[in-house]
Amino acid sequence: MSAQYGRNEHAVIAVDIVIFTLEKGVLKALFLEPNKPEYKNMWALPGALVHSEEGLETAVQRVLQEKAHLPKLLIDQLATFGEPQRDPYGRVVSVAYMAFLHEEEYAQYVQQIHEHKQSWLSVPTTRPLAYDHALIVKTAVARLRSKVGYTNIAQGLLPKHFTLTHLQSVYEAILGIQMDKRNFRRKVLEVKLVEDTGKKLTGGKNRPAALFAFSSKKLIEVSLFG
Amino acid sequence: MSAQYGRNEHAVIAVDIVIFTLEKGVLKALFLEPNKPEYKNMWALPGALVHSEEGLETAVQRVLQEKAHLPKLLIDQLATFGEPQRDPYGRVVSVAYMAFLHEEEYAQYVQQIHEHKQSWLSVPTTRPLAYDHALIVKTAVARLRSKVGYTNIAQGLLPKHFTLTHLQSVYEAILGIQMDKRNFRRKVLEVKLVEDTGKKLTGGKNRPAALFAFSSKKLIEVSLFG
DNA sequence: CCAAAAGTGTTCAGTTTACACCCATGA
DNA sequence: TCATGGGTGTAAACTGAACACTTTTGG
């Protein structure tokens, strides 16, 4: 890199990722074994230092691939954590991201990957986490709960096509509440969060459900609740 | 600092600050002259690299003091900007903050400070800005407009004690809309955003107005609109 | 024909909006 | 007494919440 700015006297930057998924209606996130002896018997979020010529989102997707063996996912910047003592090994400021893996991808993933040094824990968790990762996870869960009410971010936790019942179950899992089926359906259609694909989910042992898709693939604001 | 992490091959971190104030009902932000020849005839946000032992918020308050000659202000983290080419001199990731200066402090400030190399521009601005600062400012204005509806962040733009008319004018300036006086007053009291101090603003040439204060000095969520 | 999930409207309560006049003070 | 901004209530429209039965399919 060019070196008009000093090197040693300044803080360096990392990304850490809260990778969310749903497993049987329970919100979970991926944790890896920390590579620092201080933090043995704890779990840590996937993360890495950002290279000198690398964008933040590029670094996030690199970590997803190299450390979590996951494909490119929907990501969303969460916040930046920069307490001077957050990493005892040196001054590292962490830009935290959320990433979203839907349940069907997750099912494939857990079949393929057999590493011992990782775990999907339900969040928020009371297990001891390394660094300031408990704070990052807590912030991420709060942000997800908030954003699900005014954006289409839930699409990260659903496949391309899904039933309205499935969509509702995702909202209920994230918010931890039960919702009324009729009110929920009316609302998501009214605000054009999703649209009917015309397809049906057949092969179940009961009435086939209409399959829906999110109206926008980009993250946008869509006012649903509060 | 300890040096378990490499030095040259990683990105370093800066803070940039969008310092908001209101002047006669117009939302403005502070800009300084950039110190890079490429950006002459442009304006830039106050900012600096973060030192190796310095917290992010500490760095922000240092920039406020050293570069803008301002006292400690209410600040709020905005987002982090890390496109690889955002700074042509080297890899710098910027954590952007918002800061808030109320109109009375601003009036004092502009009397005391007579530097040529700075300007309060109304925002959003169409003037050319250095680096990616146009994006940062646009993001900041959008965030402020959003947050004013569900937090008590407006307190940064008001003195300790203020009239309800003054409070309403701040909301109207930020949102760019006119509001109904009775509905506004009912709402801010109903949600306990502010409380009556029992004091009156005397010395005007008409009926003395009751003085109010924000119920919480901390930034908290308070649902007002939307 | 039975079990299981899909699909669909209406009523009531609470909230938001629109709107106009009297009050306290200083000049 | 007049000009100026401070202060207050009510009715109508809208939005959100509660609630139960019929339909379609596979077994």
Side-chain angles (χ1 to χ4, degrees), chain B:
Chain B
M1 69 179 278
S2 56
Q4 278 81 355
Y5 293 121
R7 293 187 186 105
N8 303 347
E9 69 271 31
H10 294 118
V12 298
I13 192 137
V15 292
D16 284 307
I17 318 172
V18 181
I19 308 170
F20 285 112
T21 196
L22 287 169
E23 189 198 351
K24 303 207 164 76
V26 177
L27 188 64
K28 304 199 160 187
L30 180 62
F31 295 90
L32 307 181
E33 183 171 71
N35 49 12
K36 302 287 161 45
E38 280 92 333
Y39 294 125
K40 69 177 176 184
N41 302 322
M42 293 189 178
W43 290 107
L45 294 169
L49 293 181
V50 175
H51 298 159
S52 64
E53 300 295 346
E54 182 184 47
L56 293 174
E57 303 203 346
T58 310
V60 170
Q61 299 292 354
R62 174 172 59 81
V63 170
L64 287 178
Q65 185 174 98
E66 293 179 0
K67 300 220 172 172
H69 312 288
L70 286 167
K72 206 160 183 255
L73 298 179
L74 177 68
I75 62 172
D76 191 44
Q77 193 185 98
L78 175 62
T80 298
F81 296 83
E83 286 302 300
Q85 300 309 321
R86 60 176 296 281
D87 185 335
Y89 279 78
R91 186 61 204 296
V92 179
V93 171
S94 170
V95 184
Y97 278 78
M98 300 185 286
F100 302 94
L101 180 70
H102 63 74
E103 193 152 359
E104 292 71 16
E105 282 175 319
Y106 167 78
Q108 287 187 347
Y109 172 87
V110 293
Q111 283 188 343
Q112 289 167 9
I113 303 294
H114 301 286
E115 298 195 14
H116 284 292
K117 314 294 187 172
Q118 62 172 254
S119 179
W120 291 88
L121 302 178
S122 60
V123 286
T125 180
T126 54
R127 304 279 286 275
L129 300 182
Y131 310 100
D132 55 358
H133 290 186
L135 173 62
I136 296 176
V137 170
K138 190 178 140 224
T139 307
V141 172
R143 180 73 61 83
L144 174 58
R145 284 189 178 145
S146 167
K147 276 197 132 171
V148 86
Y150 67 93
T151 71
N152 62 352
I153 201 166
Q155 69 181 282
L157 295 167
L158 287 153
K160 274 204 192 67
H161 294 166
F162 48 85
T163 67
L164 291 184
T165 300
H166 190 182
L167 180 67
Q168 184 176 342
S169 73
V170 168
Y171 276 79
E172 291 179 336
I174 292 170
L175 296 172
I177 56 172
Q178 297 278 105
M179 296 181 183
D180 180 88
K181 179 159 67 162
R182 278 169 293 190
N183 294 340
F184 180 84
R185 285 167 184 235
R186 187 184 310 115
K187 191 69 179 183
V188 297
L189 294 172
E190 200 173 271
V191 302
K192 298 189 169 42
L193 177 71
V194 296
E195 53 196 24
D196 198 329
T197 61
K199 295 183 177 143
K200 299 275 174 186
L201 178 64
T202 54
K205 58 182 181 226
N206 39 37
R207 179 173 174 173
L211 285 168
F212 288 77
F214 279 86
S215 307
S216 167
K217 234 185 141 174
K218 293 274 161 207
L219 273 183
I220 59 170
E221 306 219 338
V222 181
S223 162
L224 287 157
F225 321 112

